[in-house]
Amino acid sequence: MSAEKVTIAVVAKRAGVSKGLVSFALNNRPGVGAETRLRILQVAQDLGWEPSLRARSLSTQRSFALGLVIARNPDVLASDPFFPSFIAGVESILAAERRALVLSVVPDEATELQTYRSLVADGRVDGVFLSDLRHNDARIPLLTELGLPAVTLGRPDGDSPFPAVTVDDTPGVTASVRYLADLGHRRIAHVAGSQNLLHGIRRREAFAAAMTAAGLPEGQTVETDFSVGAGSDATRRLLGQAIRPTAIVYANDPMAIAGLGVAHELGIRVPDDLSITGFDDIDFCRYVYPPLTTVSAAPAVWGRAAATTLLRLMENGRADDVDLPAARLIIRGSAAPPARP
Amino acid sequence: MSAEKVTIAVVAKRAGVSKGLVSFALNNRPGVGAETRLRILQVAQDLGWEPSLRARSLSTQRSFALGLVIARNPDVLASDPFFPSFIAGVESILAAERRALVLSVVPDEATELQTYRSLVADGRVDGVFLSDLRHNDARIPLLTELGLPAVTLGRPDGDSPFPAVTVDDTPGVTASVRYLADLGHRRIAHVAGSQNLLHGIRRREAFAAAMTAAGLPEGQTVETDFSVGAGSDATRRLLGQAIRPTAIVYANDPMAIAGLGVAHELGIRVPDDLSITGFDDIDFCRYVYPPLTTVSAAPAVWGRAAATTLLRLMENGRADDVDLPAARLIIRGSAAPPARP
DNA sequence: ATAGTTAGCTAAACCGGTTCAGTAGGCGGG
DNA sequence: CCCGCCTACTGAACCGGTTTAGCTAACTAT
C-alpha cells in the first residue's frame, strides 16, 4: 500500500501546498500562515516524514557532522584515557543536536594534514576539534585557509582565529611542586612529556617556574613522548644516578604508574624513599599502590565545553574563548616527606 | 578567472561530452570509447575535479562511511585501551578507501539502539561494527530489520546473519589456568567481567572448564563490570577471606593491575604470596611491578580484519567469518609457585 | 542489399531537499 | 477609488552527481 517513501513532495501534496512551503514550515521561517504551518507539521508528523539528511546536505552544503583527527603514537593513544572521555563529553552534546562525530586516527602529522584536506574536500564535517596543539601548529593556518571552523583545546602559541577552550595546566603543576617542596623535598625531578606538544612544553615550564618560585635549585628534567615505556625509561635513568631525586613530578599518569613500577623493581619504596606525582587523574591512580597523588583534568567536561563552543561558532560565526576550572592537585598516598639521609 | 567551481558539468563541457558519459568514465563502466575515456580522465585531472561526495551520496543513497557505537560505562571505557587500538586498526583500512568512521559513545543500551536507528534514518553510515556482544543481543534483530550491513566482533550466541570476526579467548584463559596449575596452584580464583557481555561470560566459562580439566576444585569466581574499581573491590573480597586463593585469573588487565595494588596494600607479595594473570596485554602490563603475565589480544589487527570484512560484505553482499589467531599467554613476572604454607 | 546487433554517446529524469523570483489577495493610507 | 505594500504562497531553478531510455552509425549475418 503506502510503501511509498515519504518525501517532502508527498507531504506537500497531502497538505495541499508546494514543496517550498513545507520546507519553510519545517525550518520555521517567516512567510507561512500560522494555521497552514500547523497543518503542514501535522501532516508531516502523521506521515512520519523525516527530511533526508543527504538531500539537505547537498542543497545546504553542510554535513551536520563534526570532526576529530587524532595523530598520536598508538602506544600513547592506547594508554591515555583522555580521548575516550573527551569524546564521551562531546557526544553528550552532539547527540541532542542530531549531529555526528567523524573520527580519524592517523599515524603521523603529514597524514593528519592530508586528512583535514580530505574531510573538507569531501565535505564530511562542518567543523573540527584541534587537540594536542603543537608549537607553531601547522593545522591552524591550514584550517584557516580551508575555511573550516575549529576550536582549539587549549590556547595555541601563535595567532589563531579560532576560539580556545582551555584547562590551565600550570596551577596543577605549581601545586604539585609546592606540595613536594613543603614536604621538604629539594631534589625534585620532572619527567616531561613530548616537547612537540604545547601541553608538554607548558607543564615543563610550569615545573621550572615553580621550582624557582619555591627557591629550589633547577630540577632535573627528562623529556619523553608521554608513553608508558618512555616513562619507565626516564625513571630508570633518574633513579640510576649516584645522587638521585627524592621526588619526581610526571607529566602524565601513565608515566607515573610506570615510574611506580620501576621504583618497586629497584626496591625503592614509594613514598618513603621516593615521592611521585602524576597528571590527569586517570582511573588507575586510585587503585595502584600507593594511590597516586595527581592533578585532575576532567576531559569529559572539556569535551562538552568544546562541543558547545564549536556549535556556537558555527551558528553565530563567532564564539568566545572558554576557560574551564584549572586542574587541581588531588592528594593521595604517593608522596611523603623525604627520608632522612 | 577560473574561480568557477569544478563540477561534472564543467568537465563534460570541457571534454566535449555529456555529464552522463563523464560519470561512466569515472566509475569505469563499459560503454565509453577507449580514447574518449582517456580524454575525459585527463580533463578531469587537469581541472582537478573531485566528484562531490554529497551529490554522490544523494543519488546513490550511500554515505561512504562506517559506524561504531560504543555503549560502555565511562569508567570502563576510559581505562580500557581496546577501542583506541581497534579504531586505529579500522582507520588504517578505511583511510585508503576514502571512507569515514562515524563514532558514537552512548551511556546505555536503550540509547544505543536509538542511535542505530538514527544512523540509519539519517543515512549516516553504510555499515556498522558490533562490539561488546551481549547475550541475546538486541542489536542483531534490530540491524537485520533495518537492513544495515554489520560485522560482529566475536561470535554471537544466537542466530546472526552477519559475518563474525573472532579472536577466541578460550585458549588464553585455558593456558593461564594450566600455567598456574603447573606451577602448583590449587586454589585459583577468577575475577570475571560483566556477565552481560559475551566475552565476560566466555572467559568465565573457559576458566571453569580449565579448572575442571586440570583436575582442580571449582574455583571461586567474583563477577564485576570490568572496571578498575570493581577489580579492586573483588580482589579485596577474595584476599580478605580466611582461606584465600593463591592465584587469581583476571578477566582483563585493568582489574589485574588494580588487584596488584590491593595486594601491595595488604602486604601480600606478588608473585611470592599471590600469583595473578590478566587479559588483553595492555601497555601497562610490561611496566607495572611485577610485570603482568597476561593474554595478548591484538585489537589493532582485529580492527583491520573487521573493517576489511565489513567492506567486503558491503561490496559483495556476503563475507565469510574470520577467525583470527587466538589470544595467547604472555608469561612475565606476576606468577610463581605458591608459597609453602 | 537489408535487417539485426552492438558500441558509443546524449538528453532528460531522478535523488530530496532549499531558495529565490514572482504572483495573488488583503489591507491601510491618501 | 487607486496605489502601494505586505503576507502567504507557488513554480522553477538549483545543489552535483547517477541512471535510464533512446538515438546514431558502424558492423555483422543472411
Side-chain angles (χ1 to χ4, degrees):
Chain A
M1 265 316 83
S2 74
E4 187 186 11
K5 191 195 282 186
V6 196
T7 70
I8 196 173
V10 177
V11 174
K13 191 189 300 178
R14 182 78 166 268
V17 296
S18 68
K19 289 198 319 175
L21 204 61
V22 175
S23 176
F24 275 33
L26 180 76
N27 300 307
N28 43 351
R29 277 237 251 280
V32 187
E35 50 186 309
T36 312
R37 156 167 290 137
L38 286 178
R39 178 163 41 94
I40 292 174
L41 295 179
Q42 185 60 52
V43 170
Q45 184 167 355
D46 292 350
L47 267 49
W49 175 59
E50 298 202 25
S52 148
L53 185 76
R54 291 201 261 248
R56 238 163 192 260
S57 268
L58 178 59
S59 62
T60 62
Q61 306 283 32
R62 296 188 297 157
S63 60
F64 306 95
L66 267 35
L68 175 62
V69 181
I70 303 178
R72 275 202 187 183
N73 172 338
D75 286 356
V76 180
L77 183 59
S79 58
D80 185 345
F82 175 81
F83 281 110
S85 303
F86 176 80
I87 289 171
V90 168
E91 293 277 2
S92 69
I93 302 294
L94 294 197
E97 297 263 337
R98 213 160 185 182
R99 308 200 184 223
L101 178 70
V102 172
L103 177 69
S104 279
V105 176
V106 301
D108 53 59
E109 288 183 42
T111 314
E112 182 182 30
L113 295 178
Q114 193 45 53
T115 301
Y116 282 108
R117 289 187 185 280
S118 299
L119 287 175
V120 170
D122 291 347
R124 292 262 192 204
V125 298
D126 301 325
V128 293
F129 299 97
L130 250 57
S131 66
D132 287 346
L133 292 179
R134 293 183 283 266
H135 174 61
N136 261 334
D137 205 306
R139 293 172 292 177
I140 293 178
L142 174 65
L143 292 173
T144 308
E145 173 201 330
L146 294 174
L148 192 65
V151 161
T152 57
L153 269 45
R155 233 177 299 282
D157 61 351
D159 280 345
S160 161
F162 305 120
V165 178
T166 307
V167 171
D168 189 358
D169 288 349
T170 307
V173 176
T174 307
S176 301
V177 172
R178 170 115 56 127
Y179 172 65
L180 293 169
D182 287 351
L183 286 173
H185 292 274
R186 301 206 76 234
R187 283 197 312 282
I188 308 177
H190 178 48
V191 173
S194 165
Q195 297 298 297
N196 293 321
L197 297 174
L198 241 41
H199 61 285
I201 297 173
R202 294 212 173 113
R203 289 175 197 177
R204 182 180 51 70
E205 287 175 350
F207 171 78
M211 289 293 280
T212 305
L216 297 179
E218 189 182 342
Q220 204 177 350
T221 294
V222 184
E223 182 182 341
T224 71
D225 62 1
F226 274 124
S227 74
V228 190
S232 175
D233 293 346
T235 307
R236 218 174 284 280
R237 186 140 91 246
L238 287 171
L239 299 182
Q241 305 172 110
I243 299 182
R244 60 186 193 219
T246 62
I248 304 179
V249 172
Y250 290 86
N252 75 358
D253 287 338
M255 295 197 296
I257 291 173
L260 204 53
V262 171
H264 274 144
E265 181 191 338
L266 299 179
I268 296 172
R269 291 168 306 158
V270 175
D272 314 68
D273 303 329
L274 175 71
S275 290
I276 73 178
T277 68
F279 204 105
D280 284 343
D281 194 21
I282 70 177
D283 228 31
F284 278 116
C285 295
R286 235 183 305 261
Y287 302 104
V288 292
Y289 187 78
L292 194 60
T293 291
T294 187
V295 174
S296 79
V301 174
W302 209 351
R304 301 175 66 97
T308 306
T309 302
L310 185 48
L311 291 174
R312 188 171 304 151
L313 172 64
M314 287 161 32
E315 182 81 12
N316 308 336
R318 65 175 306 283
D320 290 329
D321 285 2
V322 175
D323 285 290
L324 296 171
R328 56 178 236 289
L329 187 66
I330 311 275
I331 294 176
R332 298 209 179 89
S334 63
R340 275 295 167 81
Chain B
M1 263 323 78
S2 72
E4 187 187 8
K5 192 195 283 187
V6 196
T7 70
I8 196 172
V10 177
V11 175
K13 190 188 302 179
R14 182 77 166 268
V17 296
S18 69
K19 289 199 321 178
L21 204 62
V22 176
S23 176
F24 276 34
L26 181 76
N27 300 307
N28 42 350
R29 277 235 249 281
V32 187
E35 51 186 308
T36 312
R37 157 166 291 137
L38 285 178
R39 178 163 41 94
I40 292 174
L41 295 179
Q42 185 61 52
V43 170
Q45 183 167 355
D46 291 351
L47 266 49
W49 175 59
E50 298 202 25
S52 150
L53 185 76
R54 292 202 260 248
R56 242 163 188 257
S57 270
L58 178 59
S59 60
T60 61
Q61 307 284 32
R62 295 187 298 157
S63 60
F64 305 95
L66 267 35
L68 175 60
V69 181
I70 304 179
R72 275 203 186 182
N73 173 338
D75 286 357
V76 180
L77 183 59
S79 58
D80 185 345
F82 175 81
F83 281 111
S85 302
F86 177 80
I87 290 171
V90 168
E91 294 276 2
S92 69
I93 301 294
L94 294 196
E97 298 264 337
R98 213 159 184 179
R99 307 201 185 225
L101 178 70
V102 172
L103 176 68
S104 279
V105 176
V106 301
D108 53 59
E109 287 183 40
T111 313
E112 183 183 30
L113 295 177
Q114 192 46 53
T115 301
Y116 283 109
R117 289 186 185 281
S118 299
L119 287 175
V120 171
D122 291 348
R124 291 261 191 205
V125 298
D126 301 324
V128 293
F129 300 96
L130 250 56
S131 66
D132 288 345
L133 292 179
R134 294 182 282 266
H135 174 61
N136 261 335
D137 205 305
R139 292 172 293 178
I140 293 177
L142 174 66
L143 291 174
T144 309
E145 173 202 330
L146 294 174
L148 193 65
V151 160
T152 57
L153 271 44
R155 233 177 299 280
D157 60 352
D159 279 346
S160 163
F162 305 121
V165 178
T166 307
V167 171
D168 189 357
D169 288 349
T170 307
V173 176
T174 307
S176 301
V177 172
R178 168 114 57 126
Y179 172 63
L180 293 169
D182 287 351
L183 287 174
H185 291 276
R186 301 208 76 236
R187 286 198 310 285
I188 307 177
H190 178 48
V191 172
S194 166
Q195 297 297 298
N196 293 321
L197 296 174
L198 242 41
H199 61 287
I201 297 174
R202 294 212 172 113
R203 289 174 197 177
R204 183 181 50 68
E205 288 175 350
F207 171 76
M211 290 294 280
T212 305
L216 297 179
E218 188 183 343
Q220 205 177 350
T221 294
V222 184
E223 181 183 340
T224 70
D225 63 0
F226 273 125
S227 74
V228 189
S232 174
D233 294 345
T235 306
R236 219 174 283 280
R237 185 140 91 248
L238 287 171
L239 299 183
Q241 305 173 110
I243 299 182
R244 59 185 194 220
T246 61
I248 304 179
V249 172
Y250 289 86
N252 75 359
D253 287 337
M255 296 198 295
I257 291 173
L260 204 53
V262 171
H264 274 145
E265 181 191 338
L266 299 178
I268 296 173
R269 291 168 307 160
V270 176
D272 314 66
D273 303 329
L274 175 72
S275 289
I276 72 179
T277 68
F279 204 106
D280 283 345
D281 194 22
I282 70 177
D283 227 32
F284 279 116
C285 295
R286 233 184 307 258
Y287 302 105
V288 292
Y289 186 77
L292 194 59
T293 291
T294 188
V295 174
S296 78
V301 175
W302 209 351
R304 300 174 68 94
T308 306
T309 303
L310 185 49
L311 291 174
R312 189 172 304 152
L313 172 65
M314 289 162 31
E315 182 81 13
N316 308 337
R318 65 175 307 282
D320 290 328
D321 285 1
V322 175
D323 285 290
L324 296 170
R328 56 180 237 286
L329 187 66
I330 311 276
I331 293 175
R332 299 209 178 90
S334 64
R340 273 296 165 80

